[in-house]
């Protein structure tokens, strides 16, 4: 996909005050842009697991959350191996509960554990083993390596298209070629980066470590090249 804008400016001759005065030359400058998109499979998974607790005492609720999270961390770290799977904590917090009259009646809190990496099987099986936590969300994306490779590929295609368009425009207007002016290159990653909301129960009675069902999608990496050329 490309958009091309052509503009030419002819600078007229100024009044002659001296025979040695140099007249300005016409200027033929073209502004154009070209873009390319590469579609690649998502190779990185972020799985968030959470637990909730509530009670009348804030300290007790916090202690329950911490105990549950520490146990899950200990188990998950046994399977951690970068870049296949990393383990980290997510949100951890408490909030008061009030009745309709505004009176404090208790506390509720939640804690999160985040599994992230490129080994989908390892991550899903680890999540299935964490029986004190439930999967709250999952998202897929691109690892830094795959994103960089896709960006380089899209950039090469966009530059090639930019050069081809500039040459065609120069030829179409009767010029022999062009010189490159100012150029800008912008890259971005677009979806679909699909979020998955998981059911609270992902295990069966016969298999307490059943992996969480997951399916990755595709991401698109786009590069746009825009700038100007001087026809000659």
């Amino acid at each position: 996909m490309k958009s091309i804008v052509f503009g030419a400016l002819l600078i007229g001759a100024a009044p002659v005050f001296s025979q040695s005065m140099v007249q300005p030359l016409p200027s033929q400058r073209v502004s154009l842009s070209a873009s390319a998109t590469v579609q690649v499979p998502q190779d990185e998974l972020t799985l968030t697991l959470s637990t909730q607790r509530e009670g009348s005492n804030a300290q007790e609720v916090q202690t329950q959350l911490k105990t549950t999270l520490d146990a899950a961390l200990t188990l998950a770290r046994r399977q951690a191996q970068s870049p296949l799977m990393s383990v980290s904590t997510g949100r951890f917090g408490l909030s008061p509960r009030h009745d309709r009259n505004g009176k404090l009646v208790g506390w509720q809190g939640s804690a999160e554990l985040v599994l992230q990496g490129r080994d989908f099987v390892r991550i899903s099986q680890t999540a299935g083993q964490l029986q004190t936590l439930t999967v709250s969300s999952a998202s897929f994306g691109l690892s830094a390596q795959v994103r960089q490779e896709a960006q380089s590929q899209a950039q090469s295609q966009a530059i090639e298209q930019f050069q081809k368009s500039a040459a065609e425009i120069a030829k179409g207007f009767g010029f022999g070629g062009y010189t490159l002016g100012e150029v800008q290159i912008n890259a971005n990653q677009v979806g679909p980066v699909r979020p998955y909301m998981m059911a609270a129960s992902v295990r069966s009675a016969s298999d307490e470590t059943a992996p969480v069902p997951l399916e990755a999608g595709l991401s698109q990496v786009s590069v746009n090249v825009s700038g100007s050329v001087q026809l000659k």
Side-chain angles (χ1 to χ4, degrees), residues 63-95:
T63 299
Q64 292 174 6
L65 289 173
K66 184 178 183 302
T67 300
T68 301
L69 187 59
D70 286 345
L73 274 170
T74 299
L75 193 155
R77 283 170 176 162
R78 296 172 185 169
Q79 305 299 325
Q81 182 180 348
S82 181
L84 302 180
M85 188 185 81
S86 63
V87 181
S88 62
T89 56
R91 292 179 296 181
F92 187 108
L94 298 175
S95 59

Side-chain angles (χ1 to χ4, degrees), residues 24-213:
L25 297 176
S27 174
Q28 293 84 19
R29 179 174 298 175
V30 178
S31 297
L32 66 155
S33 66
S35 62
T37 299
V38 175
Q39 187 169 264
V40 290
Q42 296 165 334
D43 71 323
E44 188 170 81
L45 167 64
T46 300
L47 201 63
T48 302
L49 301 96
S50 63
T51 184
Q52 293 81 35
R53 295 288 187 276
E54 61 180 45
S56 58
N57 184 278
Q59 186 61 45
E60 291 179 357
V61 173
Q62 179 173 299
T63 299
Q64 292 174 6
L65 289 173
K66 184 178 183 302
T67 300
T68 301
L69 187 59
D70 286 345
L73 274 170
T74 299
L75 193 155
R77 283 170 176 162
R78 296 172 185 169
Q79 305 299 325
Q81 182 180 348
S82 181
L84 302 180
M85 188 185 81
S86 63
V87 181
S88 62
T89 56
R91 292 179 296 181
F92 187 108
L94 298 175
S95 59
R97 292 191 297 112
H98 299 87
D99 61 17
R100 63 181 60 185
N101 297 319
K103 180 181 178 181
L104 179 66
V105 294
W107 294 84
Q108 59 186 7
S110 63
E112 290 181 344
L113 180 67
V114 181
L115 308 179
Q116 184 177 39
R118 303 177 65 175
D119 190 337
F120 294 1
V121 174
R122 180 188 297 257
I123 293 173
S124 63
Q125 288 181 344
T126 300
Q129 297 170 4
L130 302 179
Q131 300 182 38
T132 57
L133 303 179
T134 56
V135 178
S136 56
S137 68
S139 62
F140 295 92
L142 300 180
S143 64
Q145 177 183 349
V146 171
R147 185 186 301 107
Q148 182 61 48
E149 292 173 352
Q151 183 176 322
S152 297
Q153 183 180 352
Q155 180 174 292
S156 297
Q157 294 177 4
I159 291 175
E160 181 180 354
Q161 184 60 47
F162 184 95
Q163 294 172 329
K164 180 180 178 181
S165 298
E168 290 176 349
I169 292 172
K171 181 179 179 180
F173 282 98
F175 291 86
Y178 67 90
T179 57
L180 191 63
E182 182 179 356
V183 175
Q184 293 182 339
I185 299 178
N186 298 299
N188 63 81
Q189 176 186 332
V190 297
V193 181
R194 300 179 295 176
Y196 284 77
M197 298 305 295
M198 297 297 178
S201 177
V202 296
R203 309 174 187 86
S204 64
S206 59
D207 188 356
E208 294 185 347
T209 62
V212 177

